Amino acid sequence: MADRDVLVPLVTVADDERSLSGLVVALTAAIGRHRGIPRPVTPSAAWSVESQPALTPREAFFATHETVDAEEAIGRVCAELIAPYPPGVPVLAPGEVVTAGALDALRETRRDGGRIAYAADPTLDTIQVVAGVPPTPSDA
């Protein structure tokens, strides 16, 4: 599992000393090839954005959806799953309020070379929201 700055090897009972040694050798070589000026560590949006549930995921998923410009989605209830990849952990899920912070974090992931997984529009120009649910007052 990984994001821009963190790599977490997932070791299982099927791994042995040989496979783990191979991983260490490969990682050491990769780090050596890419060594350079350190950059600030940026936590993934998957770990830094706090969700704001408004509906259950089931209610939002099966509700009527509409596609709106991303800026118009702020304060609305998300109707789709949107995750930065890596690590592939959702930042927005059906039923959660789309916040400016979530949108900014997802856009930063794209600018930094990550991809947006599961979204109907991975460019984040548009977002699917639950139709007929007005924006929340705090985020509108």
Side-chain angles (χ1 to χ4, degrees), residues 7 9 11 16-32:
L7 174 67
V11 179
D16 57 19
E17 185 176 339
R18 183 172 164 247
S19 65
L20 293 177
S21 293
L23 175 64
V24 170
V25 167
L27 286 176
T28 302
I31 291 167

Side-chain angles (χ1 to χ4, degrees), residues 2-58:
D3 63 23
R4 187 190 93 151
D5 294 307
V6 177
L7 174 67
V8 180
L10 300 177
V11 179
T12 73
V13 295
D15 290 299
D16 57 19
E17 185 176 339
R18 183 172 164 247
S19 65
L20 293 177
S21 293
L23 175 64
V24 170
V25 167
L27 286 176
T28 302
I31 291 167
R33 284 192 308 273
H34 298 284
R35 188 175 305 274
I37 298 171
R39 65 177 181 213
V41 174
T42 304
S44 169
W47 320 129
S48 60
V49 173
E50 191 171 323
S51 68
Q52 295 183 16
L55 297 174
T56 68
R58 181 178 178 79

Side-chain angles (χ1 to χ4, degrees), residues 65-119:
H65 304 163
E66 61 182 321
T67 302
V68 299
D69 288 337
E71 295 303 319
E72 293 175 28
I74 295 171
R76 303 280 305 270
V77 178
C78 192
E80 62 180 326
L81 193 64
I82 305 175
Y85 190 86
V89 175
V91 167
L92 289 169
E96 294 180 356
V97 175
V98 178
T99 64
L103 192 54
D104 289 345
L106 288 164
R107 286 177 172 157
E108 179 63 28
T109 296
R110 285 198 74 229
R111 281 190 296 273
D112 200 33
R115 81 176 171 88
I116 303 302
Y118 317 121

